[in-house]
Amino acid sequence: MKIISYNVNGIRAAMSKGFTQWLSVANPDVICLQEIKAEEQQIDLKALQDAGYPYLYWHSAVKKGYSGVGILSKIKPNHIEIGTGIDYMDYEGRIIRADFPDFSIISLYLPSGTNIDRLEHKLTFMADFQQYINDLKKDIPNLIICGDYNICHQAIDIHDPVRNANVSGFLPVERQWLDNFIKSGFIDSFRYFHKEPHNYSWWSYRANARNNNKGWRIDYCMVSNSLENKLKRALILPEAKHSDHCPILVEVD
């Protein structure tokens, strides 16, 4: 199964920039979307279905034009779980899960910590999300958690680790949480296959950052350790330019 994750920074905007045509060519079995910034009735569902995705699932934020996640699939899931049952997470539309016979796929949009209040919110979310996953693994041990984690794990994952040392997304407390999350039973699928630097998934719109590849790797496909022998490949797809992020891919047997 080929799985792609993509923070589209507004699905309607991305579709106006050729996202649907790109999706037809990329042809994943499942694509996890983050930051859709729309409600289902605002999305051209037929265009996505015509691109080969009959099964469309959305979890929009209560606040209009904000956040939101989705899962598009060629294969009908056994079950879809909208949200987590944790009120403040679900209010912002940040987690949706599709259960398949051999594993479950989660589309995750973890908050950013743009100011002190949002940083506190992010840290609370991270702690509660870890507990949520710990509990979920008791029933569903095989998880693939794809999405925008809004954290660079290591210095190799950010273009300027020194100047960004005190910026949210690369704070020691955030990086430690991500390190612990991985150690709790996950594989960073991209790093499993690729050890080289200068691979990023998000670039600021400022200062020509993308053309100069001054980016951050904040999007991940985290795969349960139990699926290690199923991993086939993982890629970052920077040629897709419908957003300030680019898609990432993992393929499992």
Side-chain angles (χ1 to χ4, degrees):
M1 184 182 279
K2 183 164 70 172
I3 303 159
I4 283 178
S5 182
Y6 199 173
N7 179 323
V8 290
N9 194 13
I11 189 166
R12 290 169 291 175
M15 290 175 77
S16 74
K17 298 173 186 175
F19 166 80
T20 313
Q21 294 82 356
W22 168 85
L23 181 60
S24 295
V25 174
N27 197 35
D29 297 290
V30 175
I31 183 165
C32 297
L33 302 177
Q34 302 87 42
E35 211 170 355
I36 60 171
K37 296 183 177 179
E39 297 176 345
E40 183 174 358
Q41 64 269 23
Q42 298 175 303
I43 302 168
D44 186 349
L45 303 178
K46 186 176 185 303
L48 297 171
Q49 290 166 339
D50 289 346
Y53 295 87
Y55 305 107
L56 310 173
Y57 308 99
W58 312 98
H59 183 24
S60 301
V62 173
K63 181 180 177 181
K64 294 185 186 301
Y66 177 75
S67 189
V69 290
I71 291 178
L72 284 54
S73 182
K74 292 180 173 291
I75 306 152
K76 187 176 182 179
N78 295 349
H79 172 74
I80 291 289
E81 190 69 25
I82 307 292
T84 62
I86 301 170
D87 288 350
Y88 77 89
M89 289 184 178
D90 296 346
Y91 183 86
E92 295 190 345
R94 293 189 175 274
I95 295 168
I96 187 171
R97 187 184 88 233
D99 297 337
F100 296 93
D102 296 323
F103 46 75
S104 293
I105 299 172
I106 290 174
S107 182
L108 165 70
Y109 180 36
L110 202 146
S112 61
T114 48
N115 57 48
I116 190 65
D117 290 337
R118 288 304 290 180
L119 180 58
E120 287 302 316
H121 176 78
K122 180 178 185 178
L123 297 177
T124 299
F125 187 107
M126 286 154 46
D128 289 346
F129 181 70
Q130 176 74 77
Q131 188 58 55
Y132 168 75
I133 293 299
N134 291 346
D135 293 340
L136 184 62
K137 285 195 297 185
K138 296 171 186 174
D139 296 317
I140 306 174
N142 295 338
L143 293 171
I144 299 174
I145 307 175
C146 298
D148 178 0
Y149 285 66
N150 263 311
I151 303 167
C152 292
H153 183 206
Q154 296 175 330
I156 193 176
D157 298 312
I158 191 167
H159 75 94
D160 192 342
V162 175
R163 290 185 184 179
N164 287 295
N166 296 313
V167 177
S168 180
F170 197 58
L171 296 175
V173 64
E174 296 168 308
R175 296 172 61 198
Q176 187 61 58
W177 176 85
L178 189 55
D179 197 63
N180 291 340
F181 184 79
I182 292 169
K183 288 175 180 174
S184 78
F186 290 94
I187 296 164
D188 174 351
S189 59
F190 180 78
R191 279 286 170 241
Y192 185 82
F193 292 101
H194 306 277
K195 311 301 183 190
E196 66 275 9
H198 313 305
N199 287 291
Y200 309 122
S201 64
W202 175 81
W203 302 261
S204 169
Y205 281 130
R206 297 192 296 271
N208 207 26
R210 189 159 188 167
N211 287 339
N212 294 320
N213 200 30
K214 293 184 175 180
W216 301 41
R217 190 174 75 95
I218 57 177
D219 300 88
Y220 301 84
C221 290
M222 298 291 187
V223 177
S224 289
N225 288 344
S226 54
L227 295 170
E228 181 176 5
N229 65 342
K230 302 288 188 183
L231 282 170
K232 304 302 289 181
R233 61 178 180 145
L235 301 169
I236 294 176
L237 307 172
E239 70 282 358
K241 297 181 178 178
H242 317 99
S243 168
D244 51 349
H245 293 250
C246 75
I248 59 173
L249 176 151
V250 65
E251 191 167 331
V252 292
D253 240 346

